[in-house]
Amino acid sequence: MDRLSSSGLIPETFQGARDDMTEQLALIWEQIRTPIIVPVLKLAVVICLAMSVMLFVERVYMTVVKVLVKFFGKRPEKRYRWEPIKDDIELGNSAYPMVLVQIPMYNEREVYQLSIGAACGLSWPSDRIIIQVLDDSTDPTIKDMVMMECQRWASKGINIKYEVRDNRNGYKAGALKEGMRRGYVKDCDFVAIFDADFQPEPDYLWRTIPFLIHNTELGLVQARWKFVNSDECLMTRMQEMSLDYHFTVEQEVGSSTHAFFGFNGTAGVWRINALNEAGGWKDRTTVEDMDLAVRASLKGWKFVFIGDLSVKNELPSTFKAYRYQQHRWSCGPANLFRKMVMEIIRNKKVSPLKKFHVIYAFFFVRKIVAHIVTFTFYCVVIPATVLVPEVTIPKWGAVYIPSIITLLNAVSTPRSLHLLVFWILFENVMSLHRTKATIIGLLEAGRVNEWVVTEKLGDALKHKSAKQVKKSRSRIGERLYVLELLTGVYLFFCASYDLAFGKNHFYIYLYLQAAAFFVMGFGYIGTFVPNS
């Protein structure tokens, strides 16, 4: 029997139409490639290389400072006066400052007991501390549970206040602002803030308050975070790598050089005078903590970061929760930059060098350039050069600089260096979401003020059977993530073209990155558990 040809299976009319369409698309591509695509892509390469150099210089600078601080042993206790608070027989407990501890929460069924218990367990004279639970819960059952927990601690002699309001205006900033208006707060000198999943150690106040007592120029003492669920899945390990760099390098360098660094919104103690002088809490962006820190810094207040003081907390363990958190953390700073850049420039209380640091290093490079260049360069421009061989990228820009930046980020978490490839792919996928959020913040567009509380699980997983956990992890995400899937298709096409016709030999990287976009586009990232 004669073999069936494709022309025998497809009617000649359709075959001809298909060939004509292919030829027309190829002709259109050839007509626009040289006069339009090539110049635009060359410009994009130049811009991306410039942004890469900016990010590279910033990373190298911070690494050098971090090494010098480590080498010379410039601990916070050596840069600022610190000594234990001494008892005074005549004054008694009144020798100790009055401390307010605020715990803002919203429908925190799984963690409210942990956070309230940890706050009530803080070691401090009982008549010199007030625990303030700011409950914005909308679920009546959870509200009753939180109130009963507060009553239980009150019956043990703890000075705990359960505060509610009839609206959620301003979200967390609104709750904190409302809490500061209570009459009993006027007697307080300092305020410690802990989000609902944070569990400070009993000696937290003994290690932080002396900095504020003995150094009147200090407005904030910030502790670092310790992640109790970092080994839960691959996604939490990736988050740990990113956040470890933020704390061990970015926050440490900002504190060591007396430059600006941002308040992390929790695990910190504020001098109430500094908070009030800065204008208190504002809800104009989704990063009320950074907003307050910038305003306090412009008033001349200094901050100190204590790297060896950790407060336990929980990382988002679902991709959906992590996406919402990253949208807020990326959109908020960009929007705050838009709102405050002129205020920073006009400020006369801080030096031009500090203004430059805040505008260029803190906001522009770390909060805008870092997100945009990661996505546009590594996920759009480099793959596009496969399709346009007239445009080339120098090896130093495509290989050397990215490799050095990656290693400088990753060394902060030595135990996860074997996961470096996964971390690169994960961060590149998340850069799509962060870039989108950054642009929304800069343009003050649709979701600029979106606030979704990050879901916390607490000890819930410990009480589930292995079968239940496996079942919950085997499900595809609640919805597909279209942008990730479309980007994955684009990368897969570029990889296949490079393998078949290209000369760049990027196809291995492109195939891996395409696979990462597909995995996260289908919501699977939280299902992979790494080896410790």
Side-chain angles (χ1 to χ4, degrees):
M1 181 181 291
D2 294 333
R3 293 181 180 177
L4 293 174
S5 65
S6 61
S7 60
L9 293 174
I10 302 174
E12 292 184 4
T13 304
F14 293 138
Q15 182 76 24
R18 187 186 67 176
D19 294 340
D20 289 343
M21 183 175 295
T22 302
E23 291 177 2
Q24 288 176 4
L25 290 175
L27 182 61
I28 293 172
W29 171 251
E30 289 300 325
Q31 289 177 340
I32 67 172
R33 186 174 67 175
T34 302
I36 299 177
I37 302 298
V38 172
V40 170
L41 192 55
K42 284 183 176 179
L43 178 61
V45 168
V46 171
I47 293 174
C48 288
L49 288 175
M51 290 193 291
S52 294
V53 170
M54 293 165 64
L55 188 60
F56 171 75
V57 171
E58 177 69 10
R59 291 290 190 267
V60 170
Y61 159 74
M62 288 193 291
T63 301
V64 169
V65 174
K66 171 66 179 178
V67 170
L68 291 176
V69 169
K70 191 78 174 177
F71 180 78
F72 290 106
K74 290 292 186 179
R75 293 167 53 84
E77 291 82 355
K78 292 185 177 181
R79 297 196 308 271
Y80 295 96
R81 184 185 172 196
W82 190 97
E83 59 184 49
I85 303 174
K86 298 178 181 178
D87 293 331
D88 190 307
I89 298 177
E90 295 183 359
L91 296 176
N93 285 347
S94 60
Y96 295 86
M98 194 75 177
V99 179
L100 174 70
V101 178
Q102 290 186 311
I103 311 174
M105 57 177 59
Y106 173 74
N107 292 339
E108 307 288 359
R109 180 188 295 272
E110 306 295 348
V111 297
Y112 74 94
Q113 286 182 310
L114 294 175
S115 59
I116 293 175
C120 292
L122 287 169
S123 175
W124 199 253
S126 59
D127 60 338
R128 306 300 291 171
I129 185 172
I130 302 173
I131 311 297
Q132 187 185 67
V133 178
L134 303 167
D135 189 12
D136 271 0
S137 298
T138 53
D139 186 324
T141 303
I142 298 177
K143 216 165 191 172
D144 291 341
M145 292 163 61
V146 175
M147 182 175 64
M148 291 177 63
E149 183 70 9
C150 292
Q151 291 174 349
R152 186 173 75 84
W153 282 103
S155 67
K156 296 181 179 182
I158 301 297
N159 188 2
I160 185 169
K161 309 289 185 181
Y162 177 69
E163 304 289 359
V164 297
R165 53 187 185 142
D166 57 7
N167 60 72
R168 286 195 68 216
N169 294 341
Y171 303 108
K172 178 182 173 181
L176 293 170
K177 186 176 183 178
E178 188 70 22
M180 294 300 294
R181 290 174 176 170
R182 296 295 183 262
Y184 52 81
V185 174
K186 70 178 186 298
D187 298 323
C188 298
D189 303 292
F190 309 111
V191 54
I193 302 167
F194 301 102
D195 282 351
D197 59 316
F198 278 70
Q199 304 163 53
E201 296 296 330
D203 66 344
Y204 176 87
L205 295 178
W206 293 111
R207 296 186 62 184
T208 55
I209 296 297
F211 280 106
L212 296 165
I213 291 177
H214 301 304
N215 303 275
T216 57
E217 74 276 19
L218 284 179
L220 166 69
V221 179
Q222 174 73 60
R224 69 160 297 161
W225 300 357
K226 179 181 179 180
F227 314 110
V228 297
N229 65 331
S230 59
D231 288 326
E232 184 179 333
C233 63
L234 183 59
M235 189 181 73
T236 54
R237 285 289 284 271
M238 302 299 99
Q239 293 177 65
E240 180 191 39
M241 292 178 72
S242 299
L243 288 170
D244 275 350
Y245 176 82
H246 167 70
F247 285 108
T248 59
V249 179
E250 291 181 342
Q251 297 293 74
E252 186 68 63
V253 169
S255 176
S256 301
T257 58
H258 303 284
F260 172 78
F261 70 89
F263 174 43
N264 293 119
T266 179
V269 185
W270 276 94
R271 186 186 302 274
I272 291 181
N273 284 343
L275 193 153
N276 292 334
E277 186 180 337
W281 295 103
K282 293 185 178 181
D283 58 5
R284 55 182 174 175
T285 70
T286 57
V287 283
E288 73 294 323
D289 46 6
M290 188 182 296
D291 188 348
L292 174 61
V294 173
R295 286 184 281 114
S297 180
L298 294 179
K299 292 291 184 179
W301 291 99
K302 295 181 180 179
F303 310 150
V304 63
F305 173 73
I306 309 177
D308 60 358
L309 176 60
S310 300
V311 179
K312 293 187 290 186
N313 74 299
E314 180 182 322
L315 293 165
S317 54
T318 66
F319 188 40
K320 181 180 179 180
Y322 186 59
R323 277 171 57 97
Y324 279 128
Q325 182 200 70
Q326 292 302 296
H327 174 85
R328 189 170 74 247
W329 286 6
S330 302
C331 180
N335 190 234
L336 182 63
F337 176 69
R338 170 192 171 111
K339 285 180 164 65
M340 290 203 69
V341 62
M342 293 310 300
E343 182 180 342
I344 297 171
I345 292 173
R346 289 193 294 262
N347 184 275
K348 297 181 180 179
K349 287 192 175 182
V350 297
S351 67
L353 183 61
K354 190 165 188 177
K355 291 182 188 180
F356 175 79
H357 171 78
V358 174
I359 293 174
Y360 174 78
F362 181 79
F363 274 115
F364 188 64
V365 176
R366 298 182 204 170
K367 307 302 180 185
I368 297 175
V369 167
H371 301 325
I372 293 176
V373 72
T374 302
F375 176 68
T376 57
F377 195 30
Y378 307 126
C379 301
V380 178
V381 174
I382 289 180
T385 60
V386 170
L387 307 176
V388 186
E390 296 93 333
V391 180
T392 59
I393 301 175
K395 188 175 289 186
W396 61 264
V399 179
Y400 300 147
I401 282 183
S403 298
I404 295 173
I405 291 175
T406 299
L407 290 173
L408 293 179
N409 276 269
V411 292
S412 299
T413 314
R415 79 184 190 103
S416 296
L417 284 176
H418 63 291
L419 299 173
L420 188 59
V421 173
F422 294 102
W423 180 76
I424 294 170
L425 299 175
F426 176 78
E427 284 295 297
N428 285 354
V429 175
M430 286 309 302
S431 69
L432 164 63
H433 195 60
R434 293 174 184 140
T435 298
K436 177 185 172 185
T438 299
I439 293 172
I440 289 174
L442 289 173
L443 300 180
E444 208 158 28
R447 295 173 56 198
V448 66
N449 290 317
E450 179 184 68
W451 182 288
V452 178
V453 176
T454 305
E455 179 187 18
K456 306 166 190 84
L457 301 179
D459 292 329
L461 286 174
K462 297 180 183 178
H463 303 299
K464 290 184 179 181
S465 66
K467 185 176 181 180
Q468 286 175 310
V469 173
K470 184 177 180 180
K471 180 179 179 182
S472 66
R473 292 183 170 213
S474 64
R475 296 180 303 180
I476 296 178
E478 292 185 13
R479 63 187 180 89
L480 300 179
Y481 301 103
V482 178
L483 286 178
E484 280 86 347
L485 293 175
L486 291 177
T487 306
V489 171
Y490 165 71
L491 289 166
F492 185 83
F493 172 77
C494 293
S496 301
Y497 185 91
D498 191 27
L499 180 62
F501 309 108
K503 299 179 181 179
N504 293 333
H505 305 297
F506 289 145
Y507 57 86
I508 296 177
Y509 159 73
L510 295 176
Y511 274 131
L512 288 173
Q513 193 62 69
F517 271 96
F518 285 135
V519 167
M520 295 176 71
F522 284 109
Y524 270 120
I525 182 64
T527 67
F528 299 104
V529 181
N531 294 321
S532 299

